[in-house]
Amino acid sequence: MTVKLICASHSPLMEFASPAEKQQEQTVRHTFEKLAAEVKAYDPTLIIAFGPDHFNGFFYDLMPSFCVGVRATAAGDWNYGPGELNVPENTALGLIRRVLDEGVDVAYSYRMQADHGVTQPLHFLCDGQLNRYPTIPIFINGAAAPMPTTKRTIALGRAVGAFINSINLENERILILGTGGLSHDPPTPQMGSAPPEVEEFLIAGRNPTVEARNTRQAKIISVGQRLAAGDKSVSVPLNPEWDEQLLEKFKNADFAALENMTEDEIRREGGRGGQEVRTWMAAFAALEAVGDYEMTLHCYEPISEWIAGFGIVSAELK
């Protein structure tokens, strides 16, 4: 059995806004192309994808900290999808059983809607084919406060690592994905500070009309453009220093430091979308549970037009 990892930022604005610094966009796209070629050569027999949601598939009417998709479709936001993901049901159920046995309570869904937090990296790494490889999506709440602690998130990752260890088949080729962050502050509304109609959307806004989705997406595009123009009132500015410190923690497998990070600290330093770094924490914890690893930083670009400190890394076992 071989196990590899890729963690990457995501931004739906990649297809709707071009950075003023063209080299930044070229670097990110070239990196995805390079890693997509590596994924194709690796030909994973299973992808385990840790991803957040942006109030497209999960809402406050019932908000789990973690959820494993037994069956899943693309939510279709930002034109990624629609379509079914290729989820191996029996394997997903086995993963759920092992995670529960490891002491981590995880929800599961036979009708998961995976939004761009999962589908965008699959799109770029799998030649646009969301169902190309058997994939188990694992949702981690990184948008709806209160959120799971980083310590509990790392425990989830280690439990998934225990499941990977239990497979132990010679020909298995497993790819762990983590997607989100790094510093990242999209205009996600918050319960308690939004008008009633917006709160109702946050509670039960599934399957919006095309018009409603386009209106929402246009607001996000506008924020990216204003942030790039220097308007700091619309969003917490990107924080490259914080991003670089995070990347060092992942490189050095410094899980003690990661476990000490709080929701308030992440929001203050990394913005609302900075909470998505939980997906990286779980992914790296899963890999570390299999064995010591070496991380490679492929690129880091702070791109205001995409509202993202955009980082892409990979890791392999030593």
Side-chain angles (χ1 to χ4, degrees):
M1 179 180 67
T2 55
V3 185
K4 297 185 179 184
L5 171 147
I6 296 174
C7 283
S9 304
H10 61 248
S11 172
L13 301 181
M14 287 181 67
E15 309 305 332
F16 294 85
S18 293
E21 297 291 335
K22 300 300 181 183
Q23 186 59 45
Q24 290 185 312
E25 179 172 8
Q26 292 171 5
T27 298
V28 169
R29 293 190 183 278
H30 174 73
T31 301
F32 271 126
E33 290 169 3
K34 173 187 173 184
L35 290 177
E38 293 182 8
V39 170
K40 185 175 182 179
Y42 183 50
D43 192 23
T45 56
L46 177 65
I47 296 176
I48 298 175
F50 294 97
D53 181 80
H54 310 77
F55 293 102
N56 288 298
F58 290 87
F59 294 83
Y60 272 113
D61 57 357
L62 183 60
M63 180 59 68
S65 292
F66 314 122
C67 184
V68 178
V70 182
R71 298 174 187 167
T73 59
D77 58 315
W78 299 96
N79 300 329
Y80 296 114
E84 293 185 359
L85 274 62
N86 180 9
V87 182
E89 287 191 27
N90 289 337
T91 306
L93 290 169
L95 182 150
I96 293 164
R97 181 70 268 165
R98 184 56 186 256
V99 170
L100 293 171
D101 290 346
E102 291 292 319
V104 179
D105 294 329
V106 64
Y108 41 93
S109 173
Y110 279 80
R111 193 170 289 173
M112 178 186 282
Q113 288 189 330
D115 83 347
H116 70 269
V118 169
T119 56
Q120 188 186 69
L122 289 178
H123 171 85
F124 282 114
L125 294 172
C126 305
D127 292 336
Q129 302 175 49
L130 303 182
N131 62 352
R132 181 168 187 169
Y133 301 107
T135 300
I136 300 175
I138 302 178
F139 160 76
I140 297 178
N141 176 21
M147 299 170 204
T149 63
T150 57
K151 184 175 183 179
R152 198 62 178 161
T153 301
I154 289 169
L156 168 68
R158 288 173 174 155
V160 172
F163 166 74
I164 293 172
N165 279 325
S166 73
I167 296 176
N168 199 27
L169 296 176
E170 182 178 352
N171 294 326
E172 288 291 323
R173 298 176 302 281
I174 296 173
L175 176 62
I176 303 170
L177 292 184
T179 168
L182 299 166
S183 59
H184 179 44
D185 193 45
T188 305
Q190 306 291 303
M191 291 292 289
S193 60
E197 65 275 12
V198 176
E199 285 200 348
E200 179 58 27
F201 164 78
L202 295 175
I203 294 170
R206 292 174 186 80
N207 306 314
T209 64
V210 173
E211 293 77 11
R213 175 162 278 164
N214 288 341
T215 297
R216 182 185 178 197
Q217 293 179 174
K219 291 179 181 178
I220 297 172
I221 294 170
S222 174
V223 167
Q225 293 171 340
R226 292 170 64 187
L227 183 62
D231 184 352
K232 296 182 180 180
S233 68
V234 296
S235 180
V236 174
L238 302 183
N239 191 342
E241 182 179 357
W242 185 75
D243 292 342
E244 291 166 6
Q245 292 171 354
L246 263 178
L247 291 168
E248 281 297 306
K249 291 181 176 69
F250 290 122
K251 180 180 179 180
N252 297 324
D254 190 354
F255 289 100
L258 293 169
E259 287 179 346
N260 285 331
M261 296 176 69
T262 66
E263 184 174 330
D264 288 344
E265 172 193 348
I266 295 171
R267 170 66 184 270
R268 182 177 64 253
E269 299 294 334
R272 283 166 286 191
Q275 308 287 2
E276 296 171 356
V277 299
R278 287 169 174 77
T279 64
W280 290 48
M281 295 177 187
F284 272 99
L287 183 63
E288 196 258 351
V290 179
D292 293 338
Y293 63 79
E294 291 181 330
M295 188 191 93
T296 300
L297 173 62
H298 295 280
C299 75
Y300 173 76
E301 299 288 343
I303 304 177
S304 294
E305 290 88 347
W306 293 353
I307 323 179
F310 214 103
I312 305 176
V313 306
S314 65
E316 296 189 15
L317 297 173
K318 292 183 178 178

mmCIF file of all heavy atoms in Angstrom, residues 273-305:
data_model
loop_
_atom_site.group_PDB
_atom_site.id
_atom_site.type_symbol
_atom_site.label_atom_id
_atom_site.label_comp_id
_atom_site.label_asym_id
_atom_site.label_seq_id
_atom_site.Cartn_x
_atom_site.Cartn_y
_atom_site.Cartn_z
ATOM 1 N N GLY A 273 -12.671 32.409 6.315
ATOM 2 C CA GLY A 273 -12.301 31.215 5.569
ATOM 3 C C GLY A 273 -11.038 30.555 6.071
ATOM 4 O O GLY A 273 -10.727 29.413 5.696
ATOM 5 N N GLY A 274 -10.286 31.251 6.928
ATOM 6 C CA GLY A 274 -9.117 30.628 7.526
ATOM 7 C C GLY A 274 -9.489 29.415 8.362
ATOM 8 O O GLY A 274 -8.656 28.520 8.585
ATOM 9 N N GLN A 275 -10.755 29.356 8.804
ATOM 10 C CA GLN A 275 -11.215 28.198 9.577
ATOM 11 C C GLN A 275 -11.113 26.901 8.768
ATOM 12 O O GLN A 275 -11.083 25.799 9.338
ATOM 13 C CB GLN A 275 -12.668 28.408 10.029
ATOM 14 C CG GLN A 275 -12.936 29.725 10.749
ATOM 15 C CD GLN A 275 -12.372 29.776 12.166
ATOM 16 O OE1 GLN A 275 -11.742 28.834 12.631
ATOM 17 N NE2 GLN A 275 -12.599 30.881 12.858
ATOM 18 N N GLU A 276 -11.043 27.023 7.456
ATOM 19 C CA GLU A 276 -10.980 25.828 6.601
ATOM 20 C C GLU A 276 -9.663 25.066 6.743
ATOM 21 O O GLU A 276 -9.567 23.931 6.261
ATOM 22 C CB GLU A 276 -11.180 26.238 5.142
ATOM 23 C CG GLU A 276 -12.541 26.837 4.854
ATOM 24 C CD GLU A 276 -12.634 27.438 3.455
ATOM 25 O OE1 GLU A 276 -11.620 27.466 2.736
ATOM 26 O OE2 GLU A 276 -13.734 27.876 3.084
ATOM 27 N N VAL A 277 -8.673 25.666 7.399
ATOM 28 C CA VAL A 277 -7.401 24.949 7.561
ATOM 29 C C VAL A 277 -7.585 23.686 8.389
ATOM 30 O O VAL A 277 -6.681 22.834 8.431
ATOM 31 C CB VAL A 277 -6.302 25.838 8.169
ATOM 32 C CG1 VAL A 277 -6.012 27.021 7.262
ATOM 33 C CG2 VAL A 277 -6.657 26.299 9.571
ATOM 34 N N ARG A 278 -8.721 23.528 9.021
ATOM 35 C CA ARG A 278 -9.019 22.259 9.699
ATOM 36 C C ARG A 278 -8.907 21.083 8.729
ATOM 37 O O ARG A 278 -8.543 19.979 9.130
ATOM 38 C CB ARG A 278 -10.420 22.296 10.318
ATOM 39 C CG ARG A 278 -10.541 23.172 11.549
ATOM 40 C CD ARG A 278 -12.011 23.368 11.934
ATOM 41 N NE ARG A 278 -12.166 24.088 13.193
ATOM 42 C CZ ARG A 278 -12.020 25.398 13.329
ATOM 43 N NH1 ARG A 278 -11.731 26.136 12.271
ATOM 44 N NH2 ARG A 278 -12.176 25.979 14.506
ATOM 45 N N THR A 279 -9.239 21.295 7.472
ATOM 46 C CA THR A 279 -9.153 20.184 6.515
ATOM 47 C C THR A 279 -7.700 19.761 6.309
ATOM 48 O O THR A 279 -7.414 18.571 6.153
ATOM 49 C CB THR A 279 -9.784 20.571 5.171
ATOM 50 O OG1 THR A 279 -9.047 21.655 4.573
ATOM 51 C CG2 THR A 279 -11.239 20.991 5.348
ATOM 52 N N TRP A 280 -6.786 20.714 6.292
ATOM 53 C CA TRP A 280 -5.362 20.392 6.200
ATOM 54 C C TRP A 280 -4.919 19.638 7.454
ATOM 55 O O TRP A 280 -4.146 18.676 7.376
ATOM 56 C CB TRP A 280 -4.527 21.667 6.059
ATOM 57 C CG TRP A 280 -4.636 22.396 4.763
ATOM 58 C CD1 TRP A 280 -5.774 22.736 4.094
ATOM 59 C CD2 TRP A 280 -3.542 22.914 3.977
ATOM 60 N NE1 TRP A 280 -5.472 23.438 2.949
ATOM 61 C CE2 TRP A 280 -4.111 23.566 2.859
ATOM 62 C CE3 TRP A 280 -2.170 22.904 4.135
ATOM 63 C CZ2 TRP A 280 -3.337 24.192 1.883
ATOM 64 C CZ3 TRP A 280 -1.387 23.539 3.169
ATOM 65 C CH2 TRP A 280 -1.965 24.158 2.056
ATOM 66 N N MET A 281 -5.384 20.107 8.618
ATOM 67 C CA MET A 281 -5.009 19.450 9.869
ATOM 68 C C MET A 281 -5.419 17.979 9.864
ATOM 69 O O MET A 281 -4.639 17.099 10.236
ATOM 70 C CB MET A 281 -5.658 20.168 11.052
ATOM 71 C CG MET A 281 -5.172 21.588 11.271
ATOM 72 S SD MET A 281 -6.069 22.379 12.639
ATOM 73 C CE MET A 281 -5.446 24.055 12.524
ATOM 74 N N ALA A 282 -6.655 17.712 9.451
ATOM 75 C CA ALA A 282 -7.129 16.332 9.417
ATOM 76 C C ALA A 282 -6.358 15.503 8.397
ATOM 77 O O ALA A 282 -6.001 14.350 8.656
ATOM 78 C CB ALA A 282 -8.624 16.303 9.100
ATOM 79 N N ALA A 283 -6.096 16.086 7.234
ATOM 80 C CA ALA A 283 -5.383 15.359 6.190
ATOM 81 C C ALA A 283 -3.971 14.984 6.643
ATOM 82 O O ALA A 283 -3.530 13.833 6.492
ATOM 83 C CB ALA A 283 -5.332 16.194 4.911
ATOM 84 N N PHE A 284 -3.251 15.952 7.198
ATOM 85 C CA PHE A 284 -1.892 15.666 7.653
ATOM 86 C C PHE A 284 -1.890 14.708 8.841
ATOM 87 O O PHE A 284 -0.996 13.858 8.965
ATOM 88 C CB PHE A 284 -1.165 16.964 8.003
ATOM 89 C CG PHE A 284 -0.469 17.597 6.836
ATOM 90 C CD1 PHE A 284 -1.054 18.648 6.147
ATOM 91 C CD2 PHE A 284 0.765 17.147 6.410
ATOM 92 C CE1 PHE A 284 -0.415 19.240 5.063
ATOM 93 C CE2 PHE A 284 1.415 17.725 5.319
ATOM 94 C CZ PHE A 284 0.826 18.775 4.653
ATOM 95 N N ALA A 285 -2.878 14.815 9.720
ATOM 96 C CA ALA A 285 -2.962 13.889 10.846
ATOM 97 C C ALA A 285 -3.219 12.470 10.357
ATOM 98 O O ALA A 285 -2.680 11.500 10.917
ATOM 99 C CB ALA A 285 -4.061 14.330 11.811
ATOM 100 N N ALA A 286 -4.032 12.324 9.308
ATOM 101 C CA ALA A 286 -4.274 10.994 8.742
ATOM 102 C C ALA A 286 -2.994 10.401 8.176
ATOM 103 O O ALA A 286 -2.684 9.222 8.389
ATOM 104 C CB ALA A 286 -5.358 11.076 7.664
ATOM 105 N N LEU A 287 -2.228 11.225 7.457
ATOM 106 C CA LEU A 287 -0.976 10.733 6.888
ATOM 107 C C LEU A 287 0.026 10.400 7.991
ATOM 108 O O LEU A 287 0.698 9.355 7.942
ATOM 109 C CB LEU A 287 -0.382 11.779 5.948
ATOM 110 C CG LEU A 287 0.915 11.364 5.221
ATOM 111 C CD1 LEU A 287 0.669 10.179 4.302
ATOM 112 C CD2 LEU A 287 1.500 12.541 4.445
ATOM 113 N N GLU A 288 0.124 11.265 8.995
ATOM 114 C CA GLU A 288 1.086 11.052 10.076
ATOM 115 C C GLU A 288 0.764 9.793 10.878
ATOM 116 O O GLU A 288 1.652 9.151 11.440
ATOM 117 C CB GLU A 288 1.109 12.283 10.983
ATOM 118 C CG GLU A 288 2.314 12.359 11.914
ATOM 119 C CD GLU A 288 1.967 11.945 13.321
ATOM 120 O OE1 GLU A 288 0.769 11.765 13.609
ATOM 121 O OE2 GLU A 288 2.905 11.814 14.133
ATOM 122 N N ALA A 289 -0.534 9.427 10.924
ATOM 123 C CA ALA A 289 -0.926 8.198 11.611
ATOM 124 C C ALA A 289 -0.420 6.962 10.878
ATOM 125 O O ALA A 289 -0.247 5.895 11.472
ATOM 126 C CB ALA A 289 -2.448 8.137 11.765
ATOM 127 N N VAL A 290 -0.170 7.116 9.575
ATOM 128 C CA VAL A 290 0.375 6.000 8.782
ATOM 129 C C VAL A 290 1.895 5.935 8.944
ATOM 130 O O VAL A 290 2.492 4.853 9.001
ATOM 131 C CB VAL A 290 -0.013 6.152 7.300
ATOM 132 C CG1 VAL A 290 0.559 5.015 6.459
ATOM 133 C CG2 VAL A 290 -1.535 6.192 7.152
ATOM 134 N N GLY A 291 2.551 7.103 9.035
ATOM 135 C CA GLY A 291 4.001 7.123 9.196
ATOM 136 C C GLY A 291 4.554 8.525 9.080
ATOM 137 O O GLY A 291 3.844 9.467 8.716
ATOM 138 N N ASP A 292 5.832 8.681 9.390
ATOM 139 C CA ASP A 292 6.497 9.980 9.239
ATOM 140 C C ASP A 292 6.489 10.395 7.775
ATOM 141 O O ASP A 292 6.605 9.545 6.875
ATOM 142 C CB ASP A 292 7.934 9.906 9.741
ATOM 143 C CG ASP A 292 8.013 9.679 11.245
ATOM 144 O OD1 ASP A 292 7.025 9.986 11.941
ATOM 145 O OD2 ASP A 292 9.058 9.180 11.711
ATOM 146 N N TYR A 293 6.381 11.699 7.536
ATOM 147 C CA TYR A 293 6.246 12.169 6.159
ATOM 148 C C TYR A 293 7.209 13.306 5.867
ATOM 149 O O TYR A 293 7.763 13.943 6.771
ATOM 150 C CB TYR A 293 4.805 12.613 5.885
ATOM 151 C CG TYR A 293 4.324 13.783 6.721
ATOM 152 C CD1 TYR A 293 4.670 15.106 6.408
ATOM 153 C CD2 TYR A 293 3.494 13.579 7.827
ATOM 154 C CE1 TYR A 293 4.227 16.173 7.157
ATOM 155 C CE2 TYR A 293 3.046 14.655 8.592
ATOM 156 C CZ TYR A 293 3.413 15.945 8.261
ATOM 157 O OH TYR A 293 2.970 17.005 9.014
ATOM 158 N N GLU A 294 7.371 13.572 4.590
ATOM 159 C CA GLU A 294 8.108 14.726 4.097
ATOM 160 C C GLU A 294 7.175 15.562 3.239
ATOM 161 O O GLU A 294 6.537 15.027 2.327
ATOM 162 C CB GLU A 294 9.336 14.305 3.286
ATOM 163 C CG GLU A 294 10.425 13.651 4.122
ATOM 164 C CD GLU A 294 11.642 13.276 3.298
ATOM 165 O OE1 GLU A 294 11.474 12.990 2.093
ATOM 166 O OE2 GLU A 294 12.750 13.268 3.858
ATOM 167 N N MET A 295 7.103 16.860 3.511
ATOM 168 C CA MET A 295 6.212 17.759 2.783
ATOM 169 C C MET A 295 6.990 18.582 1.770
ATOM 170 O O MET A 295 8.117 19.006 2.034
ATOM 171 C CB MET A 295 5.503 18.703 3.761
ATOM 172 C CG MET A 295 4.412 19.565 3.125
ATOM 173 S SD MET A 295 3.816 20.896 4.206
ATOM 174 C CE MET A 295 4.898 22.254 3.680
ATOM 175 N N THR A 296 6.377 18.804 0.621
ATOM 176 C CA THR A 296 6.938 19.671 -0.414
ATOM 177 C C THR A 296 5.986 20.834 -0.652
ATOM 178 O O THR A 296 4.795 20.635 -0.915
ATOM 179 C CB THR A 296 7.138 18.901 -1.733
ATOM 180 O OG1 THR A 296 8.035 17.813 -1.517
ATOM 181 C CG2 THR A 296 7.701 19.818 -2.814
ATOM 182 N N LEU A 297 6.500 22.056 -0.528
ATOM 183 C CA LEU A 297 5.713 23.249 -0.860
ATOM 184 C C LEU A 297 5.888 23.543 -2.342
ATOM 185 O O LEU A 297 6.984 23.828 -2.802
ATOM 186 C CB LEU A 297 6.186 24.443 -0.030
ATOM 187 C CG LEU A 297 5.571 25.806 -0.386
ATOM 188 C CD1 LEU A 297 4.065 25.799 -0.171
ATOM 189 C CD2 LEU A 297 6.229 26.924 0.425
ATOM 190 N N HIS A 298 4.794 23.466 -3.094
ATOM 191 C CA HIS A 298 4.853 23.694 -4.538
ATOM 192 C C HIS A 298 4.652 25.154 -4.898
ATOM 193 O O HIS A 298 5.272 25.653 -5.847
ATOM 194 C CB HIS A 298 3.819 22.818 -5.248
ATOM 195 C CG HIS A 298 4.092 21.357 -5.123
ATOM 196 N ND1 HIS A 298 5.013 20.705 -5.906
ATOM 197 C CD2 HIS A 298 3.579 20.429 -4.272
ATOM 198 C CE1 HIS A 298 5.050 19.423 -5.562
ATOM 199 N NE2 HIS A 298 4.190 19.238 -4.581
ATOM 200 N N CYS A 299 3.773 25.829 -4.178
ATOM 201 C CA CYS A 299 3.596 27.252 -4.441
ATOM 202 C C CYS A 299 2.851 27.901 -3.299
ATOM 203 O O CYS A 299 2.087 27.254 -2.570
ATOM 204 C CB CYS A 299 2.870 27.501 -5.770
ATOM 205 S SG CYS A 299 1.091 27.168 -5.757
ATOM 206 N N TYR A 300 3.088 29.177 -3.129
ATOM 207 C CA TYR A 300 2.287 30.015 -2.236
ATOM 208 C C TYR A 300 2.177 31.390 -2.871
ATOM 209 O O TYR A 300 3.201 32.028 -3.162
ATOM 210 C CB TYR A 300 2.880 30.149 -0.833
ATOM 211 C CG TYR A 300 2.084 31.162 -0.034
ATOM 212 C CD1 TYR A 300 0.845 30.813 0.488
ATOM 213 C CD2 TYR A 300 2.528 32.475 0.116
ATOM 214 C CE1 TYR A 300 0.068 31.758 1.151
ATOM 215 C CE2 TYR A 300 1.758 33.425 0.778
ATOM 216 C CZ TYR A 300 0.528 33.053 1.293
ATOM 217 O OH TYR A 300 -0.248 33.985 1.931
ATOM 218 N N GLU A 301 0.960 31.833 -3.092
ATOM 219 C CA GLU A 301 0.707 33.131 -3.705
ATOM 220 C C GLU A 301 -0.462 33.813 -2.983
ATOM 221 O O GLU A 301 -1.570 33.268 -2.953
ATOM 222 C CB GLU A 301 0.349 32.984 -5.192
ATOM 223 C CG GLU A 301 1.423 32.361 -6.062
ATOM 224 C CD GLU A 301 2.609 33.281 -6.288
ATOM 225 O OE1 GLU A 301 2.469 34.504 -6.042
ATOM 226 O OE2 GLU A 301 3.670 32.782 -6.713
ATOM 227 N N PRO A 302 -0.237 34.977 -2.371
ATOM 228 C CA PRO A 302 -1.362 35.729 -1.792
ATOM 229 C C PRO A 302 -2.104 36.483 -2.901
ATOM 230 O O PRO A 302 -1.565 37.435 -3.479
ATOM 231 C CB PRO A 302 -0.673 36.691 -0.815
ATOM 232 C CG PRO A 302 0.708 36.875 -1.373
ATOM 233 C CD PRO A 302 1.063 35.614 -2.106
ATOM 234 N N ILE A 303 -3.309 36.044 -3.226
ATOM 235 C CA ILE A 303 -4.032 36.587 -4.374
ATOM 236 C C ILE A 303 -5.335 37.227 -3.887
ATOM 237 O O ILE A 303 -6.325 36.538 -3.622
ATOM 238 C CB ILE A 303 -4.320 35.482 -5.410
ATOM 239 C CG1 ILE A 303 -3.008 34.792 -5.836
ATOM 240 C CG2 ILE A 303 -5.033 36.065 -6.623
ATOM 241 C CD1 ILE A 303 -3.197 33.642 -6.805
ATOM 242 N N SER A 304 -5.332 38.539 -3.776
ATOM 243 C CA SER A 304 -6.497 39.238 -3.238
ATOM 244 C C SER A 304 -7.723 39.055 -4.120
ATOM 245 O O SER A 304 -8.853 38.941 -3.621
ATOM 246 C CB SER A 304 -6.182 40.731 -3.087
ATOM 247 O OG SER A 304 -5.186 40.940 -2.106
ATOM 248 N N GLU A 305 -7.527 39.042 -5.436
ATOM 249 C CA GLU A 305 -8.672 38.891 -6.347
ATOM 250 C C GLU A 305 -9.396 37.569 -6.128
ATOM 251 O O GLU A 305 -10.577 37.437 -6.449
ATOM 252 C CB GLU A 305 -8.206 38.975 -7.806
ATOM 253 C CG GLU A 305 -7.748 40.355 -8.235
ATOM 254 C CD GLU A 305 -6.271 40.598 -7.951
ATOM 255 O OE1 GLU A 305 -5.651 39.792 -7.204
ATOM 256 O OE2 GLU A 305 -5.736 41.587 -8.473
#
